[in-house]
Amino acid sequence: MSSAPRSLGEKLTALMARARPGTSRRHTTRSLSADVEALPDSSVSLSRTAIGNLANGTQDNPTTDTVIALCKALGDVPPAHLLPHDSYDDLEALQAFEDPAVRQALVLLNRFGDGLPGVLRLLALLEGLPEGELRNVIADLKRRRDDLGLKPIPRNDPVERPKGRRRRTAEEAAAYAAKALEGL
């Protein structure tokens, strides 16, 4: 039987107890309030009392904007971490999963199916090898793939890059502006 998920207040208190980004000091309600206020492009304002209420559990239903601002001020913590579910208690896993390279690695690992234990053993064997030795192992694996007649692996980065925001055409922009003005 699993334990009850940690509450937003417990998680916020634990995050505040960690060292602040760039310092060795921990957050206080006052410093966290100031860091939230200093966030660029954020309209969220949190008093130290409001932060204290969230941390001690007397207020446990903040807005989405408040959660996002707190997480940014706490060092870009994934907002899901503050959700009250035991799946979101593992902060390191959430932070790793936000990395696109980690997500791509999980997709690749998932393709191995029953061969996954062997892949994990291979990764464990590679851990700690000096950079030069890793390059040698990679070169040996490439030669072995060639010997077996397998397709070469492309050298480019397999991680998808986010695309830029699509710009509206002049017609779409005019229609959008007209629709927005109708409500005035």
Side-chain angles (χ1 to χ4, degrees):
M1 181 178 196
S2 67
S3 62
R6 292 172 46 206
S7 69
L8 179 140
E10 291 170 325
K11 292 178 182 182
L12 181 59
T13 301
L15 289 170
M16 289 174 62
R18 297 182 338 167
R20 294 170 62 186
T23 71
S24 60
R25 300 177 63 165
R26 69 176 203 89
H27 268 293
T28 63
T29 56
R30 184 177 304 229
S31 68
L32 185 53
S33 175
D35 286 354
V36 167
E37 293 284 334
L39 288 172
D41 302 327
S42 177
S43 60
V44 175
S45 177
L46 279 173
S47 69
R48 60 188 178 141
T49 304
I51 292 171
N53 288 342
L54 287 170
N56 67 28
T58 57
Q59 204 271 327
D60 62 355
N61 192 17
T63 66
T64 304
D65 289 340
T66 298
V67 169
I68 291 171
L70 281 170
C71 289
K72 283 181 183 177
L74 287 163
D76 286 325
V77 171
H81 181 61
L82 292 180
L83 294 175
H85 193 278
D86 56 358
S87 296
Y88 304 126
D89 286 351
D90 188 349
L91 179 59
E92 289 179 2
L94 287 171
Q95 288 173 322
F97 193 72
E98 284 197 344
D99 182 345
V102 171
R103 287 196 305 273
Q104 182 65 28
L106 288 174
V107 169
L108 292 172
L109 285 173
N110 193 40
R111 292 181 189 161
F112 281 96
D114 292 339
L116 185 59
V119 173
L120 295 176
R121 186 166 190 282
L122 176 62
L123 290 173
L125 290 169
L126 293 174
E127 184 179 13
L129 286 179
E131 182 69 29
E133 289 298 321
L134 282 175
R135 282 194 297 272
N136 291 340
V137 170
I138 290 170
D140 290 342
L141 287 173
K142 285 180 182 177
R143 279 192 295 277
R144 183 70 180 136
R145 286 182 65 83
D146 288 342
D147 293 346
L148 294 172
L150 298 173
K151 286 190 317 187
I153 304 294
R155 280 190 59 109
N156 60 347
D157 187 6
V159 176
E160 289 184 29
R161 300 289 180 215
K163 295 179 181 167
R165 201 169 134 198
R166 186 181 76 84
R167 294 180 61 107
R168 292 187 177 101
T169 64
E171 293 81 21
E172 290 173 328
Y176 180 81
K179 190 174 181 179
L181 289 174
E182 287 176 5
L184 296 179

